[in-house]
């Protein structure tokens, strides 16, 4: 019981000290406190507001490692704080053989400082774990997605709505690359039950994924173009690069446009009206 109270106290303290601006949320409107609202933390972590309340009241006593990982990301905990969070919950932070969603401070600063380009960070299973406001302006209210909805491979092969489209050739390259990534991830993280479950479910729901998986397809990520269909800015084309963060197994996805091009102008326009649109709706 004392551990539950300590966990509750720590979560409230971390939430109170985290400003909306620090995690890419709009700051507009009247706020009673400088920190995150419970609803905002729930959106960022992909959890229900009721569960956040129960955690902060000490009534949810056994959060899973997936929940702890999501909370650590949403609250931008340091390495030491992340370890403390897991200890308070009676868990051990992910070790060898398991996926880690820990984001180094340098990667966080990258997203904070490069605010003119849509950027996001995915783990080795292609689950979206961090994004900047421009990414949300480009793709929509990412914070409203939860669970598998935040996995890019799952979204693609199950046909979830997307503002991005591919030519036939682009789709082949993309699918080969991400399926090859998942296959490599299973070798690096043999003890990760969530990764095994994702692959099993993808094989069950998508004939295309199962075919690519069974044929042993491989691919590499190279600079490619993506066609964007935005409700306010219109249709335009951006370059998409997938970078790997040194010392981690994270993927940084960046959208850019050639300087002086019409697409660059649309991207600059998105930087203004896209963020304003989300601010007016109260979402991040």
């Amino acid at each position: 019981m004392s551990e539950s109270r300590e966990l509750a106290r720590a979560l409230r303290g971390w939430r109170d000290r985290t400003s909306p601006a620090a995690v890419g949320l709009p700051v507009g409107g009247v706020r009673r406190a400088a920190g995150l609202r419970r609803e905002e933390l729930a959106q960022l972590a992909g959890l229900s507001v009721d569960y956040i309340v129960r955690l902060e009241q000490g009534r949810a006593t056994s959060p899973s490692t997936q929940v702890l990982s999501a909370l650590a990301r949403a609250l931008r905990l340091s390495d030491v704080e992340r370890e403390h969070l897991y200890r308070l919950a009676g868990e051990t932070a992910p070790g060898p053989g398991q996926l880690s969603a820990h984001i180094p401070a340098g990667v966080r600063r990258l997203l904070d400082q490069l605010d003119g380009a849509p950027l996001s960070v995915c783990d080795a299973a292609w689950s979206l774990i961090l994004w900047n406001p421009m990414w949300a302006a480009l793709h929509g209210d990412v914070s409203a997605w939860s669970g598998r909805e935040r996995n890019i491979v799952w979204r693609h092969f199950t046909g979830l709505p997307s503002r991005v489209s591919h030519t036939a050739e682009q789709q082949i390259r993309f699918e080969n690359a991400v399926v090859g990534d998942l296959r490599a991830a299973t070798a690096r993280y043999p003890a990760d039950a969530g990764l095994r479950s994702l692959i099993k479910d993808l094989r069950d729901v998508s004939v295309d994924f199962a075919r690519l998986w069974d044929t042993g397809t491989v691919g590499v990520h190279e600079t490619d173009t993506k066609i964007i269909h935005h409700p306010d800015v219109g249709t335009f084309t951006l370059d998409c690069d997938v970078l790997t963060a040194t010392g981690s197994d994270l993927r940084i996805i960046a959208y850019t446009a050639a300087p002086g091009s019409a697409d660059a102008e649309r991207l600059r326009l998105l930087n203004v009206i896209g963020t304003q649109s989300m601010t007016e709706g109260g979402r991040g």
Side-chain angles (χ1 to χ4, degrees), residues 183-253:
R183 181 178 293 103
T186 61
R188 293 193 301 275
Y189 305 103
D192 197 278
L195 178 59
R196 294 198 305 271
S197 175
L198 171 66
I199 292 169
K200 177 185 179 300
D201 292 346
L202 279 167
R203 286 171 55 86
D204 289 342
V205 302
S206 171
V207 173
D208 290 335
F209 180 89
R211 173 181 53 80
L212 291 170
W213 186 267
D214 291 340
T215 56
T217 186
V218 295
V220 295
H221 293 284
E222 300 176 348
T223 298
D224 211 337
T225 57
K226 305 284 185 178
I227 304 168
I228 310 298
H229 307 274
H230 194 276
D232 299 318
V233 177
T235 299
F236 59 113
T237 301
L238 296 176
D239 291 334
C240 180
D241 287 279
V242 179
L243 314 173
T244 302
T246 302
S248 74
D249 210 1
L250 303 176
R251 285 94 172 94
I252 302 172
I253 308 170

Side-chain angles (χ1 to χ4, degrees), residues 21-190:
V23 294
L25 292 177
V27 190
V30 178
R31 306 182 73 91
R32 290 181 296 177
L36 293 176
R37 300 184 178 108
R38 288 192 178 98
E39 293 82 0
E40 291 169 335
L41 176 57
Q43 284 186 350
L44 290 169
L47 304 171
S48 70
V49 178
D50 177 67
Y51 190 66
I52 296 293
V53 171
R54 288 189 287 122
L55 280 171
E56 292 192 352
Q57 292 178 347
R59 295 187 291 117
T61 58
S62 301
S64 67
T65 56
Q66 290 85 357
V67 167
L68 296 173
S69 177
L71 288 169
R73 291 195 307 270
L75 293 166
R76 298 204 169 191
L77 301 186
S78 67
D79 292 354
V80 174
E81 290 167 340
R82 176 173 171 268
E83 295 291 336
H84 185 56
L85 171 65
Y86 276 81
R87 283 197 299 271
L88 288 177
E91 296 287 351
T92 302
Q98 293 179 299
L99 281 168
S100 174
H102 175 60
I103 301 177
V107 175
R108 292 187 183 278
R109 286 194 296 271
L110 178 69
L111 266 70
D112 289 339
Q113 295 173 13
L114 297 180
D115 56 2
L119 299 170
S120 70
V121 181
C122 291
D123 64 17
W126 283 93
S127 290
L128 191 63
I129 55 180
L130 189 65
W131 57 90
N132 67 359
M134 274 291 284
W135 179 275
L138 185 69
H139 291 276
D141 188 6
V142 187
S143 65
W145 301 350
S146 62
R148 290 274 174 81
E149 292 177 347
R150 292 192 179 185
N151 184 274
I152 289 178
V153 186
W154 179 266
R155 293 189 68 85
H156 176 80
F157 281 101
T158 60
L160 287 175
S162 175
R163 294 177 179 177
V164 178
S165 66
H166 303 87
T167 66
E169 294 78 9
Q170 290 169 344
Q171 180 159 311
I172 290 172
R173 290 193 295 268
F174 173 77
E175 292 180 348
N176 285 345
V178 294
V179 173
D181 270 358
L182 286 185
R183 181 178 293 103
T186 61
R188 293 193 301 275
Y189 305 103

